[in-house]
Amino acid sequence: MHELDTPTFRLAMAQFDQAAEAMELDPNLRERLKLPQRSLIVSVPVRMDDGRVEVYTGYRVQHDSSRGPTKGGIRYHPDVNLGEVAALAMWMTWKCALADLPYGGAKGGVAVDPKQLSRAELQRLTRRYAAEIFPLIGPEKDVPAPDVGTDAQVMAWIMDTYSQQVGYSVPGVVTGKPLSIGGSLGREEATGRGVVYVTIEALRHLKLDIRNSTVVIQGFGNVGAHTARIMQECGARVIAVSDVNGGIHNASGLDIPELLTRCKTHGQSLRDTK
Amino acid sequence: MHELDTPTFRLAMAQFDQAAEAMELDPNLRERLKLPQRSLIVSVPVRMDDGRVEVYTGYRVQHDSSRGPTKGGIRYHPDVNLGEVAALAMWMTWKCALADLPYGGAKGGVAVDPKQLSRAELQRLTRRYAAEIFPLIGPEKDVPAPDVGTDAQVMAWIMDTYSQQVGYSVPGVVTGKPLSIGGSLGREEATGRGVVYVTIEALRHLKLDIRNSTVVIQGFGNVGAHTARIMQECGARVIAVSDVNGGIHNASGLDIPELLTRCKTHGQSLRDTK
Amino acid sequence: MHELDTPTFRLAMAQFDQAAEAMELDPNLRERLKLPQRSLIVSVPVRMDDGRVEVYTGYRVQHDSSRGPTKGGIRYHPDVNLGEVAALAMWMTWKCALADLPYGGAKGGVAVDPKQLSRAELQRLTRRYAAEIFPLIGPEKDVPAPDVGTDAQVMAWIMDTYSQQVGYSVPGVVTGKPLSIGGSLGREEATGRGVVYVTIEALRHLKLDIRNSTVVIQGFGNVGAHTARIMQECGARVIAVSDVNGGIHNASGLDIPELLTRCKTHGQSLRDTK
Amino acid sequence: MHELDTPTFRLAMAQFDQAAEAMELDPNLRERLKLPQRSLIVSVPVRMDDGRVEVYTGYRVQHDSSRGPTKGGIRYHPDVNLGEVAALAMWMTWKCALADLPYGGAKGGVAVDPKQLSRAELQRLTRRYAAEIFPLIGPEKDVPAPDVGTDAQVMAWIMDTYSQQVGYSVPGVVTGKPLSIGGSLGREEATGRGVVYVTIEALRHLKLDIRNSTVVIQGFGNVGAHTARIMQECGARVIAVSDVNGGIHNASGLDIPELLTRCKTHGQSLRDTK
Amino acid sequence: MHELDTPTFRLAMAQFDQAAEAMELDPNLRERLKLPQRSLIVSVPVRMDDGRVEVYTGYRVQHDSSRGPTKGGIRYHPDVNLGEVAALAMWMTWKCALADLPYGGAKGGVAVDPKQLSRAELQRLTRRYAAEIFPLIGPEKDVPAPDVGTDAQVMAWIMDTYSQQVGYSVPGVVTGKPLSIGGSLGREEATGRGVVYVTIEALRHLKLDIRNSTVVIQGFGNVGAHTARIMQECGARVIAVSDVNGGIHNASGLDIPELLTRCKTHGQSLRDTK
Amino acid sequence: MHELDTPTFRLAMAQFDQAAEAMELDPNLRERLKLPQRSLIVSVPVRMDDGRVEVYTGYRVQHDSSRGPTKGGIRYHPDVNLGEVAALAMWMTWKCALADLPYGGAKGGVAVDPKQLSRAELQRLTRRYAAEIFPLIGPEKDVPAPDVGTDAQVMAWIMDTYSQQVGYSVPGVVTGKPLSIGGSLGREEATGRGVVYVTIEALRHLKLDIRNSTVVIQGFGNVGAHTARIMQECGARVIAVSDVNGGIHNASGLDIPELLTRCKTHGQSLRDTK
């Protein structure tokens, strides 16, 4: 299918073929799992603040729903295309299945640079995109989540658009929404916590103990900062962190909570921290 | 949108731009009418008679629904792709609007050579394709019809699949179905009759009368044969017809009904007719 | 299926087999058309005027819906049972198909003697029965009508119960309802008119003319009286009519309108008429 | 209602009357609880592997839904009839109520010998039966389960047919489905575990202790084998088991796990075991 | 019910009581027909062009739906209140019943001066109001129409809001919409034509002929101008018309088409016409 | 909006303005939260036992649903009017939000004195009222509960009416229903328990311990009696209780369980107790 033929999708296909080969997957199943079940492309006309109508292209791909409702983020990025979205949807199927969650994989996106839009334009884009994919999503069908370029606010708009269409509030139509309308505690730190869990499991394989380990972390944004804090809580000694602006090192261990407070209070980046 | 970027779609876009230019269409409307509203790509796994599962790619594109439910054929052909289907859907919008019918334009298709399939395989392919596009079609949403590679039987299978899903018989979900389950009289000859109507209108522009005209027709299948018959009924003298195998000419006019009977009764092509 | 095994159903089966034999019906189709598609039996608890709860048994059988929504009356009679209802449903399929109406056949009923019920009890029985068969009926699924022991008022109750359940007025869920809520003109005389049409067709076969015919009619209720009147309007000479109480004869033709007026005005039966 | 009049239903009625008498049940309630609320009979045409169409009769009876959605198995057996299914549905109402589960009672079945069908025929039979009873079942209406002649695979087909009709995966429409699509752990051994629980309760009444008891079990299939294993885990001494082929006895107690392994590994029946 | 207690509603009640008295209406029916079946009050928050949120109050009253879906206009006027809307809804019931149309009566409105709103604000107000009354309206439930302060454009927005919520175009949800999306020909002149029909009927009672009548018309807007034109077409001599700015008189009859053209072409009011 | 203008609603508005002032609430939000989102007024015709039809006025007001489905009681009292119901609905929004429950606020009622109705009339009133507000309520939309003049039995009738309309049992449509159909344990004593919790929190603020406190309670009905019992269970000394008939005092503490038994067993009021 030439519509999916992009480098990302070719990569996902190659990985799939390799895994299917290794597990001697039944050829019939292989055929069915290779391509996404449903791919929807929608035009998203948006009235810009200056009165013009700009038309963006939106996507929603559901790779496989045989294990339950599909689940996957929505990405706003100028390079989004069908092949990329389809590859990410397929990876969501494997992620959910490996974690034994009763979900299939999906992914969506709009080819747009959200930083070029005003907040009002972003809202109109999101609401129109949500209205167009409405027949395919729902708490028992397909549940979006934030991804690159989208956040809790975007999820709130999607939830509100969906809720207006059915006539009552439906919090289950998205995850990653704000706490005040039913979002989950701990979601912000969830990726960092996942990094720690995976690290601990890897150490167990290597017969190492996190409590005797020293840790160096590259990146100190949402993921890296939470990783550093949780690593330390688990007993590791975090001796260095860095971000795009610089790094900080202390062989006897950094005081991560103090570092976080300083960054937050003074708006400092790591460069300004000594 | 690279997914649509095929020669057929580029042609449709060029035509549209030219018309939009000529009618000085509002730029905002132009943006919105250029791209289809919704394009759905589905995987259609089919169990072949030999037990293998073959996965085909199906499409359904709805170009614009602001004038009413969308309407458009379903095409089974190996070369079907998203760009072609989108171009045909756009043309359906213009056709319906020019004839002032309260319908928008749509088109669908499956990339398959139907002549390579057994009747049972064709049925399974059709039923699965219909089940996958189910959320987007319906008598008040989008109404398929036969097109290249599909016929009344295929429509009957789509109608039956849709009807089973809602729980009662829904003849309005397709047009071009068999007469016995609610199809329309005259549909078989409709295209030929349309050719005659257009010809008569063209003659009127040229201040000519169909009753003094001589007619030559290339093609003597479903379209050409009915055109010949109706032309004659309208008073024209049909002096020659031809098909892929040969032709027949009589300057004082052919006896079309007799010719049709001979072709039908003896299974003759024009080559065998003298 | 022993649940259907009653004399009436055996009769319908024998007729069907004979017809199927005569038309050399495909054995697979024969198997499918022999038994009704769906048969629903419901318990209908009714609070009687004296406070007791009486539980009646109701039926709704849909014989075949492949030609369209099913259609058929609802009968209140102590002898109603599943076999009889199933036979009548099958006959409705043939009747609709022979008249080339886009309907399948159905029938329903309750095993109750309506003459033993007060009007309030009859209403409660009807509303409860309608509520129980609700998932199977509807303007596009299955449309009841009056039959033995039911009338326009019973249809009005069914329509109202159905309408309350969907939340708005649905006249299409029954036929034979009162004119004031959407019933059809001419329904009361429809059966009598049908008798006349059939008679005229039979006469045509026999090369006879209705205008030179003399007519004798047994029964002078809703069917017989309208038959007599319409026969006369078509030019026949009605020389005798009779009912359960007696008969009246006049070799030069009865004055049917005058007879009808007398019966209606003076509440006379034929016995009292000279 | 003669349609239900079978020995099994008469037995259930007699039991009910006895219990109603004992508890002095209100006569009005007694009338309402005697007969099932809804009984659906459907024709199930199945294309056999040799091309013939065979039409089977299927049933679904909902006895009483006032305590919640109805619940009950689906039985494939040549002797299934409406009376039997209705009796089993009534028993399900009592079972659920006695265990204080928020469910009413239902039961279903098809009059067919599943051992005479190929796997493909069994699938087609099941999917068609599920499609026909579709309007009455659902997670909040009526939830089927496996019973005599049906298993987790049959439930998977029903779940898939239902899910296709609503357009997304609905695991809650059946219980007893395979683990991989949402089935419950422990279901296979559930009946055996129930036998043990009931036995322990009975012993408590008799002031006996399971740990000083010796156990003899007739039957060593799914129920008996799990019963034997769990009895032993609870401290009982299982001194003999038998099945249709023979028996095995050891006064000082059998080694059940070893016996189970031998049966499973070597495909032995008890006859071959010494 | 004090919520309805306004002069307009008291007037409607008095009229109703008088009519009910005259026709000796059954007291039970009288009680039921006095008050509207359902009255919905909604808050309509609108973001104004300057960023403020203004909250308007909207109404939709359904007086009686026993004859079919309810029907009635939507009024935008600062003085709209529940009592007025309820009175107008009741009058719609009588109007539809007298004309023997299968509709009940309804009415709606928003307490707002539409002339104070920009077009964008008017659109947002209308779409939000439509979304709030969504659960009560629909082609088979309740069908709005234009009224004081609303027009075809407002109907188009309501239709579009409704259509977006159900997912496909629903022209039947409003009447009085633009021709291009399914409006009816002749609607603009309908009220004027109605005035002429009523006049002709009144003349017939008086044994007068429209063709020998002279006509004077007060008002020359949408209603008056069409009345004048149609009166003349029916043979009457229109000798004078006037509007808020002045009048024009010609004892031998005005040339209405010429007058209409002059008003339209030169944007003149009657004052400027001589 | 004059329809809401009653003393109770003016009180609620004044409280809201004061709180909004104190928390410096965004003026736009203030506008939106001041008025209820939807207010439905319905006519409720009831056939009285003597055959007359009496028409009552019912209300259901949903104040704000942005935090989840709305929740609130249904009140039967002659003085119920729209303003009061709207005020109570608004208070429910604040109560749910302060307790961080994912619900918005609603309230309903009928202007009727339930003590003047027979049980059958009360049932017919309730079922008709429930049918009329049906489009606005549901487990995911708006969930009624008992309030002044209504009880678990009224909730059971509402649940049954709603369940009949959707076709299966829906316990989630009301709270406060009887235990046997899914009600919650502890609901009867819930208000009394709430009084104790609030008292304990107040004591904590005052640095006092419930175990050293003496308690005097005015009222010994459902709320007071449970309060007394739970206070004592928490360690307080209840030295006096009173009701409309008299009081009882014992400085060393009353024996509340004994007092409750005496009241219940002997049907005594406090006056008869010594």
Side-chain angles (χ1 to χ4, degrees), chain C residues 3 16 42 62 70 93 104 106 120 136 143 147 156-157 162 164 187 208 232 246 255 257 271:
Chain C
E3 291 89 358
F16 173 73
V42 296
Q62 298 170 343
T70 50
T93 298
L136 292 194
V143 181
D147 201 286
W157 289 326
Y162 185 90
Q164 274 200 18
R187 194 185 195 282
L208 294 174
Q232 203 168 67
D255 182 346
R271 186 178 42 184

Side-chain angles (χ1 to χ4, degrees), chain E residues 1-6 27-29 31-32 35-45 47 51-57 59 80-83 128 131-136, chain F residues 1-6 27-29 31-32 35-45 47 51-57 59 80-83 128 131-136:
Chain E
M1 186 169 35
H2 89 97
E3 292 87 0
L4 295 177
D5 193 18
T6 63
N28 286 340
L29 264 180
E31 279 308 302
R32 296 177 66 150
L35 292 176
Q37 196 177 332
R38 277 180 187 153
S39 312
L40 183 65
I41 310 177
V42 296
S43 291
V44 186
R47 188 166 295 274
R52 276 176 317 114
V53 171
E54 199 80 58
V55 180
Y56 298 95
T57 301
Y59 303 89
V80 162
N81 60 46
L82 189 60
R128 182 61 186 250
E132 288 295 337
I133 64 169
F134 176 73
L136 292 193
Chain F
M1 186 171 33
H2 90 97
E3 291 89 359
L4 294 177
D5 194 17
T6 63
N28 286 341
L29 265 179
E31 280 308 302
R32 297 177 66 152
L35 292 175
Q37 198 179 330
R38 278 179 185 154
S39 312
L40 183 66
I41 310 178
V42 296
S43 291
V44 186
R47 189 166 294 275
R52 277 176 315 115
V53 170
E54 199 80 58
V55 180
Y56 298 94
T57 301
Y59 303 89
V80 162
N81 60 47
L82 189 61
R128 182 59 184 253
E132 288 295 336
I133 65 169
F134 175 73
L136 292 194

Side-chain angles (χ1 to χ4, degrees), chain C residues 1 3 28 31-32 35-43 51-53 55 57 59 81-82 128 131-132 135, chain D residues 1 3 28 31-32 35-43 51-53 55 57 59 81-82 131-132 135:
Chain C
M1 187 170 34
E3 291 89 358
N28 287 340
E31 279 308 302
R32 297 177 65 150
L35 291 176
Q37 197 177 331
R38 280 180 184 151
S39 311
L40 182 66
I41 310 177
V42 296
S43 291
R52 277 177 316 114
V53 171
V55 180
T57 301
Y59 303 89
N81 59 46
L82 189 61
R128 181 62 185 246
E132 288 296 336
Chain D
M1 182 170 35
E3 291 89 0
N28 286 341
E31 278 309 302
R32 296 176 67 152
L35 292 175
Q37 196 178 329
R38 280 180 184 150
S39 312
L40 183 66
I41 309 178
V42 296
S43 291
R52 277 177 315 112
V53 171
V55 181
T57 301
Y59 303 89
N81 60 46
L82 188 61
E132 288 296 337

Side-chain angles (χ1 to χ4, degrees), chain B residues 37 60-72 88-97 101-107 141-143, chain E residues 169:
Chain B
Q37 196 178 331
R60 185 74 188 167
V61 173
Q62 298 170 343
H63 176 259
D64 184 79
S65 67
S66 48
R67 287 178 53 87
T70 50
K71 188 88 202 63
L88 292 161
M90 184 193 270
W91 287 328
M92 284 303 293
T93 300
W94 314 144
K95 260 175 37 178
C96 290
L101 300 174
Y103 294 113
K107 204 82 183 191
K141 297 183 190 169
D142 180 12
V143 181
Chain E
S169 198

Side-chain angles (χ1 to χ4, degrees), chain B residues 66-69 102 140, chain E residues 60 69-72 103 136-145 155-156 158-160 162-163 166 168-178 181-184:
Chain B
S66 48
R67 287 178 53 87
E140 301 188 275
Chain E
R60 185 73 189 169
T70 51
K71 190 85 201 68
Y103 294 113
L136 292 193
I137 63 172
E140 301 186 275
K141 296 184 191 169
D142 180 12
V143 181
M155 292 305 109
I158 292 177
M159 171 182 154
D160 189 57
Y162 186 91
S163 298
V166 299
Y168 51 88
S169 198
V170 183
V173 75
V174 286
T175 57
K177 55 193 165 284
I181 53 173
S184 301

